Amino acid sequence: IEFAKFCTPCAEENLNNRLYRPYRDYRRPSPIISKKHGINRHLSIESEVITQYDDADDYVNCVGNPTGFDVVYDGSLNSGGVEFKHYKPVIGDKIRETIIGLEHHNDTEDNYIDESCGIHVHFNARDFRFKELKALCIIMNHIDEYIIESLPKERRASKYAKRFLASYNDIVECKNIVDLTNWYYRVVTDSSINTDRYNQARYIGTNLHARFYHGTIEFRYHEGTVYSKPIKEWIQFLNRIMTAS
């Protein structure tokens, strides 16, 4: 862990502490809020688009931020690319409201997408410990290939949203957080757990590194879009995965 070796009990204690206090630790809302309707778990999205401006700073200076979002630079995008990301987690009706507002903003500014663009969704997962993470891995082991097949051909081989290449038997055999962490970082991503935000482990369609770093589960599969409906439907689908886990 961070280039230090521990015995198994000490490693388990260390990694569980990482789950309770992610590397980028700051105040977050409770993972689940009681609501009769809508998504009851805080989330945020990162929507990548192509614009007529040079970069994020130029965009903000000329246009400003869409309501509920910050505009940030993303080096993975083609020329004119920017990323809109929720400036704070949203829940319930606020999810729909901000995403519809983003569609109107994109339409007004003639923003569009190309093959470099994607949609990333972060779900607050501070309540996810070993058992929940293991359950999530089992679910994604079963459905990852079907999600990939549903994507546009140019998106299926994206190096920023790689396949969740998992062995069901390997997942089932994980007995604690040490086993699961070793499996994910070493086998799935050929990396190791550390404080680096840009750890290669983040570039998986189902990003577990975000749980240690942000306290979230990030889903990176979806192709870019300037329309609200597919984003809302994708969020509903992912929320069912989170609930099942």
Side-chain angles (χ1 to χ4, degrees):
I1 302 171
E2 296 178 33
F3 309 106
K5 291 188 177 182
F6 298 85
C7 65
T8 299
C10 292
E12 187 168 4
E13 180 181 3
N14 185 295
L15 291 172
N16 276 311
N17 286 338
R18 296 296 180 200
L19 291 175
Y20 279 98
R21 186 178 288 274
Y23 291 118
R24 190 183 180 188
D25 193 36
Y26 50 91
R27 184 180 177 275
R28 281 189 173 274
S30 300
I32 300 177
I33 304 297
S34 177
K35 281 185 174 288
K36 292 183 179 180
H37 305 288
I39 307 295
N40 67 347
R41 182 178 290 272
H42 281 88
L43 60 84
S44 63
I45 73 162
E46 300 165 356
S47 175
E48 299 167 342
V49 301
I50 306 299
T51 75
Q52 61 181 311
Y53 299 93
D54 293 333
D55 53 32
D57 290 338
D58 189 26
Y59 192 94
V60 172
N61 289 335
C62 296
V63 178
N65 293 313
T67 302
F69 292 87
D70 286 330
V71 183
V72 299
Y73 167 79
D74 190 312
S76 69
L77 301 175
N78 292 330
S79 178
V82 301
E83 179 181 279
F84 300 132
K85 59 187 299 183
H86 276 116
Y87 73 86
K88 68 176 182 179
V90 290
I91 193 170
D93 294 339
K94 274 292 181 183
I95 299 171
R96 177 178 179 276
E97 178 184 320
T98 55
I99 292 173
I100 290 177
L102 186 61
E103 177 180 356
H104 293 326
H105 178 88
N106 283 323
D107 185 51
T108 300
E109 299 302 324
D110 293 324
N111 297 332
Y112 63 97
I113 59 99
D114 65 13
E115 71 282 354
S116 69
C117 299
I119 297 289
H120 305 157
V121 183
H122 285 264
F123 278 87
N124 192 355
R126 297 295 280 265
D127 56 331
F128 271 46
R129 308 294 184 219
F130 165 64
K131 291 174 66 176
E132 291 80 14
L133 290 173
K134 181 176 179 179
L136 173 65
C137 290
I138 290 173
I139 291 172
M140 299 314 296
N141 168 263
H142 285 298
I143 67 175
D144 176 87
E145 65 175 303
Y146 300 107
I147 294 176
I148 296 296
E149 287 176 4
S150 75
L151 299 175
K153 289 183 178 180
E154 64 271 14
R155 182 70 179 173
R156 295 175 192 174
S158 171
K159 63 181 180 179
Y160 298 108
K162 298 175 185 175
R163 288 285 312 275
F164 189 75
L165 293 174
S167 162
Y168 174 78
N169 290 334
D170 286 346
I171 300 170
V172 171
E173 289 173 3
C174 292
K175 303 301 182 186
N176 52 42
I177 191 63
V178 179
D179 291 344
L180 187 68
T181 305
N182 283 337
W183 167 76
Y184 178 75
Y185 281 92
R186 295 181 185 177
V187 178
V188 177
T189 67
D190 192 26
S191 61
S192 59
I193 184 172
N194 57 42
T195 59
D196 184 3
R197 176 184 179 183
Y198 296 102
N199 188 312
Q200 288 301 306
R202 79 192 292 253
Y203 298 117
I204 306 297
T206 303
N207 172 14
L208 301 190
H209 178 65
R211 178 62 188 84
F212 290 94
Y213 189 80
H214 289 295
T216 67
I217 300 296
E218 181 189 24
F219 297 94
R220 301 175 61 91
Y221 298 95
H222 206 289
E223 71 272 16
T225 179
V226 293
Y227 301 110
S228 60
K229 184 178 179 180
I231 300 176
K232 290 185 292 181
E233 291 177 344
W234 177 235
I235 287 173
Q236 291 281 358
F237 174 69
L238 296 177
N239 187 61
R240 294 189 182 100
I241 293 174
M242 294 293 291
T243 301
S245 300

